[in-house]
Amino acid sequence: MAERVKAAGPSASAFLGAAGLAVIAGWVDVVALLGLHAYVANMTGVVVLLGMAAADLDREGATRQALTLVGFFAGVLASRMLRRLNVGPAPSYVVSGLVVLACIGPAGTGQVGLTALAAAMGLQNAAGTVFGGVGLNTVFLTGNLQRLGETLADPVKPGTRRGFALGLLPSVLVAYAAGAGGGALAVRCLDHPLLPPGAALIAAAGIALVRARPARSATAAAPAGRTLQP
């Protein structure tokens, strides 16, 4: 039994996966903010800008923010539809990475680029929302701050991974900030600042596929009527 609990518990791979995805999101959001002057991951900021544009009767600005929201929402829907096919997060990461890479050059300018990058971030965020048993978002941070506060304030409950959550949630915040810093430097130093996060998403898909193989093998080998431990 002890071995089962240990196997099912949080792992370094879950920690690194969440932090790595947060770095990607922070990077992409800053590149979009500096290059296109809008957010593509921080949807709270997009809604604030939408409200400001509406108050100023700025039809073009309001349309710009609204279409960015639509892009993110479409990415979430597409990601969840892919997950319902029981194919894991890898396809969503691949599509997200390809969209980011497609935004290198003319395709990534203007409203088309904003909507596409927002869709890529929606795909990434919805592809994985639980890491080591801890629910979190890798693309925006407000909910993670709330979960961190709840974890600190709530008493320890049986079966929860409180210690892991107390390490993971702040680390994701730091990773996001590190990604934002990396994106800012990339805008100054690289000809194609979206190349690293796009390639990283493709790599994340490959890692997800490799990790999924043992799980599939174990499921296939399980006797009928027996449920494996997660």
Side-chain angles (χ1 to χ4, degrees):
M1 178 64 70
E3 291 180 359
R4 285 185 176 181
V5 171
K6 183 177 180 181
S11 65
S13 60
F15 189 97
L16 293 174
L21 290 169
V23 169
I24 291 170
W27 188 300
V28 172
D29 209 22
V30 163
V31 172
L33 183 62
L34 295 177
L36 300 172
H37 310 292
Y39 297 105
V40 293
N42 177 19
M43 290 299 107
T44 302
V46 173
V47 172
V48 169
L49 294 175
L50 174 61
M52 291 172 60
D56 292 338
L57 300 179
D58 179 2
R59 181 179 300 178
E60 181 178 352
T63 301
R64 179 183 180 86
Q65 303 305 326
L67 290 176
T68 303
L69 284 171
V70 169
F72 189 93
F73 185 67
V76 170
L77 286 178
S79 184
R80 297 316 297 175
M81 290 175 68
L82 288 171
R83 291 305 302 267
R84 290 183 66 181
L85 298 176
N86 294 322
V87 293
S92 294
Y93 292 148
V94 167
V95 176
S96 180
L98 291 175
V99 171
V100 171
L101 292 175
C103 289
I104 295 174
T109 59
Q111 185 61 60
V112 173
L114 274 177
T115 304
L117 287 173
M121 292 296 93
L123 275 158
Q124 174 188 316
N125 192 72
T129 55
V130 179
F131 298 84
V134 178
L136 57 83
N137 298 297
T138 62
V139 167
F140 49 89
L141 301 179
T142 306
N144 297 342
L145 284 169
Q146 177 178 330
R147 290 187 183 94
L148 178 59
E150 291 171 348
T151 303
L152 284 168
D154 289 347
V156 178
K157 299 177 182 179
T160 61
R161 297 170 172 85
R162 187 171 187 266
F164 182 71
L166 289 176
L168 178 64
L169 291 168
S171 297
V172 168
L173 301 179
V174 173
Y176 199 100
L185 290 174
V187 169
R188 300 175 188 172
C189 303
L190 300 180
D191 292 333
H192 303 298
L194 287 175
L195 181 58
L201 280 167
I202 302 296
I207 294 170
L209 284 173
V210 171
R211 286 179 52 79
R213 287 178 182 174
R216 292 197 195 100
S217 300
T219 301
R226 181 181 174 186
T227 302
L228 289 176
Q229 294 293 326

